[in-house]
Amino acid sequence: MTLDHELERAKIILLQDGVVGMPTETVYGLAASIHSEAGIRKIFAIKDRPFFDPLIVHISDLEQKRQVIASWPSVADFLAQKFWPGPITFVLPKNPSLNPLITSGLETVGIRMPSHPVARALIEKCQTPLAAPSANKFGKTSPTKAEHVSKGFPDLLVLDGGQSEVGLESTVVALVEENGKDIVSILRLGAITEDILQTALVERGKPFEIRRQTSLASPGNIEHHYMPNIPLVIIEQEGFSLKQQIRDQICQDFQFERTVRAAELRLDTTPKIAARSLYVRMRECSDTGASFIYVFHHQAQKGGLWDAIWDRLSRAASRIYR
Ligand code: AMP
Ligand code: MG
């Protein structure tokens, strides 16, 4: 079936209160129309997602933002011009008419314009913004390929848009103005890093402050998230092989036989590629039949995109060994 055909099918499903799998450049999403309460409920139901975790709304052109938000500060305009379409979500006051299920009852909403051509084509075809969280069961590893989504949700139509280019969920920033100063609070780390934001805002030349608020303010930041099907442990030591002593300790802690197999999660040395392949490799490790996954956290993997990668890995991990 051609892509156009698939898009047409997806549109029909979405306009009839359904849910479809949608590729984006960050990760794959489960999309529903923001105007369909039944569709939104279906997303929460099939994901086993608690209603306290709000969904991000995806738009394909700036005109659509009116259906979603109540105000659009100039800093949002600036950041949108700079980074949209792309992997950054803005948290802004919600349009009062937006269904509160989408925002978990919050007065704010997360909004993003994805760059993936298939996501854009789908939103354009439906002529409505789409609410879409990542297409995985709640707390589990996000999908970066169509087959990951189909495996988790065999009954869904999933548009295949190839492997997600970025591979990590979007950066989430809350935008507010305080005393003439733009406050950009980073709620979730992602490919648009603090350094990138800093450079852009300095260039803009207006007073601003960047805050990191990645613990409480954003519900998706709960401690255990992105978890593979078997325990993942982080080893914060330089080295490339699992020392017997640590291995024994892990087996003791998780009550494994000392002879069980372990799979090493190897990260690419280039952060961009490490991010893109992170979830694929986590899934591959889970599928090897090993009893646990281990990953070395090297000193050099700090700053920029590495922080976003390690943010996800630490939430996916059952335990850290030093
Ligand atoms: P995802 O499952 O990747 O779609 O993640 C959605 C995440 O975006 C949520 O878990 C929150 O962390 C964040 N988010 C969405 N809307 C809001 C909001 N109104 N306030 C704060 N964070 C939000
Ligand atoms: Mg998610």
Side-chain angles (χ1 to χ4, degrees):
M1 207 183 291
T2 65
L3 178 61
D4 234 23
H5 224 96
E6 295 259 288
L7 281 167
E8 196 54 45
R9 272 181 67 204
K11 173 186 160 181
I12 292 167
I13 293 171
L14 290 171
L15 298 185
Q16 292 176 351
D17 296 326
V19 170
V20 301
M22 169 176 84
T24 86
E25 72 279 19
T26 57
V27 300
Y28 274 69
L30 290 180
S33 161
I34 60 163
H35 301 297
S36 164
E37 171 149 346
I40 304 293
R41 284 191 185 278
K42 226 167 264 173
I43 290 180
F44 283 96
I46 63 178
K47 263 186 78 90
D48 296 326
R49 187 177 176 111
F51 283 110
F52 65 70
D53 196 0
L55 310 179
I56 291 172
V57 175
H58 295 71
I59 57 173
S60 61
D61 69 65
L62 278 179
E63 197 49 38
Q64 290 168 338
K65 71 181 186 300
R66 294 171 194 279
Q67 299 174 54
V68 185
I69 50 152
S71 64
W72 183 249
S74 68
V75 67
D77 216 34
F78 171 78
L79 293 174
Q81 276 186 37
K82 200 93 191 161
F83 300 115
W84 276 4
I88 185 164
T89 297
F90 305 151
V91 171
L92 290 167
K94 81 184 262 289
N95 183 316
S97 69
L98 191 72
N99 192 315
L101 279 177
I102 296 174
T103 62
S104 304
L106 297 171
E107 287 308 312
T108 54
V109 59
I111 181 169
R112 180 169 97 84
M113 189 191 287
S115 66
H116 197 295
V118 176
R120 299 172 64 78
L122 182 63
I123 302 166
E124 264 160 40
K125 221 176 193 11
C126 296
Q127 294 273 301
T128 170
L130 299 177
S134 50
N136 50 279
K137 292 273 183 185
F138 183 69
K140 293 294 182 182
T141 309
S142 304
T144 50
K145 290 182 174 186
E147 68 207 54
H148 299 161
V149 186
S150 299
K151 207 169 161 193
F153 306 96
D155 300 331
L156 279 193
L157 170 66
V158 182
L159 299 172
D160 191 346
Q163 182 167 353
S164 296
E165 177 89 16
V166 176
L168 292 182
E169 300 76 5
S170 58
T171 304
V172 178
V173 288
L175 304 174
V176 290
E177 206 192 294
E178 272 176 27
N179 310 320
K181 199 167 162 191
D182 288 311
I183 311 292
V184 176
S185 303
I186 304 180
L187 306 183
R188 179 169 74 184
L189 302 180
I192 307 295
T193 62
E194 183 171 343
D195 290 351
I196 296 175
L197 286 167
Q198 173 85 22
T199 307
L201 289 163
V202 166
E203 264 174 36
R204 180 174 177 238
K206 293 211 172 137
F208 74 93
E209 189 182 319
I210 296 180
R211 295 181 188 158
R212 263 208 202 198
Q213 230 181 320
T214 48
S215 51
L216 288 174
S218 209
N221 276 326
I222 48 177
E223 201 176 338
H224 286 297
H225 220 100
Y226 314 109
M227 293 184 103
N229 292 331
I230 53 173
L232 176 135
V233 302
I234 295 173
I235 300 173
E236 284 199 335
Q237 280 177 8
E238 293 303 314
F240 294 94
S241 67
L242 188 56
K243 292 196 187 91
Q244 190 61 42
Q245 188 197 344
I246 293 184
R247 203 194 135 82
D248 289 346
Q249 186 64 51
I250 296 169
C251 290
Q252 192 185 320
D253 292 344
F254 288 87
Q255 301 188 336
F256 291 137
E257 299 282 341
R258 286 182 59 183
T259 50
V260 295
R261 245 170 359 95
E264 184 184 354
L265 174 63
R266 285 172 194 265
L267 301 177
D268 200 278
T269 49
T270 312
K272 243 189 184 155
I273 300 172
R276 188 179 303 151
S277 53
L278 177 68
Y279 294 143
V280 175
R281 294 209 182 158
M282 263 163 71
R283 282 165 188 271
E284 282 168 359
C285 286
S286 297
D287 293 343
T288 53
S291 294
F292 67 92
I293 304 170
Y294 63 97
V295 55
F296 286 103
H297 191 175
H298 298 291
Q299 280 296 322
Q301 296 166 339
K302 285 219 165 71
L305 190 51
W306 280 122
D307 289 352
I309 294 169
W310 279 98
D311 167 72
R312 301 308 192 276
L313 276 167
S314 10
R315 293 174 204 280
S318 297
R319 211 145 172 165
I320 299 177
Y321 291 85
R322 296 194 165 88

